[in-house]
Amino acid sequence: MGADNESDSILWGDRTRAVHVGEGVDPVTRASSPNLVMSSTFSPDRIAGFSALNRSDYEGYTYARVSNPTVEQLASKVASLERAPAALCFASGMAASHALLAGRLSHGDHLVISDTNYVGTAELVRDSLPRWGIEVSPIDSSDLAQVDAAITPKTRMVWIETPANPIMRLSDIKAISTLAHERGVRDVVVDSTFATPAATRPMELGADFVMHSLTKYIGGHGDAMGGAVVGRKEDLEALNLEATVHYGGILSPFNAWLISRGIATFPLRMMAHEQAAIAVAGYLEQHPAVERVLYPGLPSHPQHDLAIRQMHNFSGMMTFKTTQPGEQVAQRMIENLQVIHYAVSLGHHRSLIYWIPTKMLMDSTFRLGRQAESRYRAFAGDGVFRFSVGIEDADDICADLGRVLG
Ligand SMILES: *Cc1c(COP(=O)(O)O)cnc(C)c1O
């Protein structure tokens, strides 16, 4: 587990943290760049326990599923960027989500969760949690009254994603954390993958845990999957024993090393993502083939006020709907885009776009009530494009879109 407890680093700004936290000149070789420690086992210098439950007070490394120096370096960088006491890394964002849900909730507990979520989270919560005896209430978390009404004495966790995939809906982290804690809820979790710590630091707003897919903006280069849970030290120590050591979904040191390397430029990339996204959102909004654009940085976003309050960077994620049938436009994108890749995932340095058909979303992932479903259909029609604006030149991104929008 990595912790942000390096001496002077608490005074550092984001850019210095991103480059230096968790790293230092190697004391033996004087290497300036961090070593990659791939070893799965370590040779203790005295008798030490062989189970994570009984390590005979041995503080060193024993086995890489319990702890690994390269993974810890990454964890301390992530914790530092979140201004959080500690972080734990996992093999993927979904492994991090599973660790939190399975590690913090038990049979008989109740979870209140946003009804619009990253699809993997939506499916895991809908299909697996009830099987484990955990009751789930999906609600529109942009509406505080719905959160309030859903909380029962059994509610142990409120899970929000902001901005939420793919409708870019925001939830007010501070208001929800205050309300949930007043009502006796133990854990407020924020999936902050879209926002990133460059925009929002949920623990400073009252959240108990932050979850990240490191595969997205934080790693930033589309070449390494990873996930993180950020939180208080004692909470993460408890979670570490169960969720990493026993569930086993640990991050490979090689991926940790790649993601750490990616983080060095994270604050700079986020500035470039936002700058390009503002230009592209403006271009799309005035394009006759585009019906609607949802981007938190646009004054036309229905929660632009909250975005200004809660997001210090509007990130590079947007959703738009075309006037022509989405399927036709998507086909043209697959055939004709030159800069933007037609592919899932997001937050990479290169622009990525994907069509999300409404029918597929309703049949396989979301569990919306009839009212929420008809609201979603009114907004999305046959489908929407989820667009992750990269760090290329905005003019080139717009020209590429112009080629396929018609
Ligand atoms: C991608 C993503 C996840 C899952 O992360 P993986 O690294 O793909 O497992 C969770 N939440 C959000 C918002 C995401 O975008």
Side-chain angles (χ1 to χ4, degrees), residues 92-94 118 161 191 193-194 211 213 215-216 225-226 346:
S92 66
M94 282 309 297
Y118 178 72
E161 182 177 306
D191 179 341
T193 301
F194 272 41
M211 178 257 144
S213 167
T215 318
K216 312 294 171 55
M225 296 202 74
L346 54 104

Side-chain angles (χ1 to χ4, degrees), residues 1-4 6 17-18 20-23 34-35 61 68-82 86-91 212-215 218-219 224-230 250-264 266:
M1 188 171 60
D4 177 24
E6 323 261 320
R17 286 169 191 250
H20 288 286
V21 170
E23 301 180 14
N35 295 324
Y61 299 105
N68 169 285
T70 305
V71 176
E72 283 185 347
Q73 284 184 346
L74 169 62
S76 53
K77 257 196 213 302
V78 173
S80 179
L81 289 173
E82 285 284 358
L88 270 180
C89 292
F90 295 88
H212 282 292
S213 167
L214 302 175
T215 318
I218 292 182
M225 296 202 74
V229 172
V230 177
I250 55 150
L251 183 63
S252 141
F254 182 55
N255 278 16
W257 186 82
L258 282 172
I259 294 166
S260 282
R261 193 183 200 277
I263 290 183
F266 164 75

Side-chain angles (χ1 to χ4, degrees), residues 262-283:
I263 290 183
T265 56
F266 164 75
L268 303 178
R269 280 188 283 109
M270 292 314 294
M271 285 161 61
H273 279 295
E274 182 190 51
Q275 193 186 25
I278 287 173
V280 171
Y283 167 82

